[in-house]
Amino acid sequence: MAVISASILAADLAHLKDEVERVKDYIDEIHLDVMDGHFVPNLTFGYPMIEGLRKFTNMPIDAHLMVTNPDFHIKLFIEKGATRVTIHQETCYHLHRSVEYIKSLSAEAFVAINPATPLSTLEEILPYVDGILIMTVNPGFSGQKFIPSMWTKIKKLSEIRKDNGYKFKIAVDGGVGNENALELVKNGVDILVMGYGVFRNPNLPELRKLLSKNE
């Protein structure tokens, strides 16, 4: 079954422990959107947030570094409890080195690309990554609508993986909900990053039922 990665950016942060407890039976991991107000137009979480999460959950945590200097933060996020680090192709001058560094610290290494970034920019890194995160909205804010043209990118990446025998996972982030989750999985997506789709979903139990149809 596809993995549901709950983006806490959409949670009620004043009651974060209760929020995670409320949805824990329907999710598989936590997605931490780390934004610096430079690479993306928003400021969000840092090391204290992951420390706080680790006080009450043992779920896997993906630290999604939407920052201009990701290499500076990789080690400490892993030390604080991240089990995966996602870095952006657009911000890494030496992407292979960064990916190998993450893996050397015993965490999964994912590379994300923005909607306007072509898949061709990932050609040389695909054999080395644990996963590719396709941004299906422009990063920076929760609650945006899925960009329709991203369907083509998702299908193309899935074909590339199959044709080359690659083992990396495919994740999508942005505008994912009950209405498109199953179709995304059918098109090769392994991990669904969902903010509003989890924490503000009035029919969250139905999401698991929908995804079970693809088993």
Side-chain angles (χ1 to χ4, degrees):
M1 181 182 289
V3 168
I4 296 177
S5 186
S7 174
I8 63 167
L9 186 61
D12 180 354
L13 297 179
H15 305 91
L16 185 56
K17 182 178 179 180
D18 292 338
E19 285 279 79
V20 173
E21 182 70 20
R22 176 174 64 86
V23 302
K24 69 177 185 180
D25 292 337
Y26 307 105
I27 67 175
D28 303 288
E29 62 182 39
I30 293 171
H31 189 86
L32 186 67
D33 288 309
V34 182
M35 304 181 187
D36 64 358
H38 188 205
F39 176 59
V40 294
N42 199 0
L43 282 169
T44 56
F45 314 121
Y47 311 121
M49 178 59 77
I50 200 166
E51 287 180 312
L53 286 165
R54 278 292 174 237
K55 290 179 180 179
F56 59 82
T57 182
N58 291 317
M59 280 189 177
I61 297 178
D62 177 5
H64 181 184
L65 305 185
M66 287 174 272
V67 300
T68 55
N69 55 343
D71 289 336
F72 181 79
H73 300 286
I74 288 169
K75 184 177 182 181
L76 194 50
F77 268 105
I78 294 172
E79 289 177 346
K80 297 298 184 182
T83 53
R84 177 189 306 139
V85 176
T86 299
I87 53 179
H88 271 259
Q89 182 275 347
E90 299 87 358
T91 64
C92 289
Y93 294 113
H94 306 286
L95 189 55
H96 177 267
R97 180 185 297 166
S98 300
V99 165
E100 291 300 297
Y101 183 50
I102 295 168
K103 294 165 73 172
S104 76
L105 297 173
S106 301
E108 282 190 308
F110 275 41
V111 171
I113 56 171
N114 288 337
T117 303
L119 289 175
S120 58
T121 61
L122 300 176
E123 182 178 352
E124 301 297 334
I125 200 65
L126 291 179
Y128 303 98
V129 297
D130 294 307
I132 296 295
L133 173 63
I134 294 178
M135 293 301 302
T136 43
V137 298
N138 289 296
F141 300 96
S142 189
Q144 299 182 70
K145 292 184 178 180
F146 188 98
I147 298 173
S149 61
M150 293 303 99
W151 283 106
T152 300
K153 182 181 282 189
I154 293 164
K155 293 173 183 177
K156 185 176 180 180
L157 182 60
S158 183
E159 290 171 1
I160 291 171
R161 178 175 62 178
K162 181 179 179 181
D163 291 345
N164 290 277
Y166 292 141
K167 302 299 182 182
F168 63 79
K169 299 170 186 175
I170 298 175
V172 295
D173 183 356
V176 181
N178 290 28
E179 70 283 354
N180 59 7
L182 180 58
E183 192 64 23
L184 286 164
V185 173
K186 287 180 177 180
N187 279 278
V189 174
D190 305 291
I191 301 172
L192 302 164
V193 180
M194 307 173 71
Y196 276 45
V198 168
F199 292 106
R200 307 191 191 188
N201 187 345
N203 296 307
L204 189 55
E206 292 299 315
L207 179 61
R208 276 298 187 190
K209 292 180 182 179
L210 285 170
L211 296 179
S212 67
K213 296 179 181 179
N214 198 61
E215 292 183 315

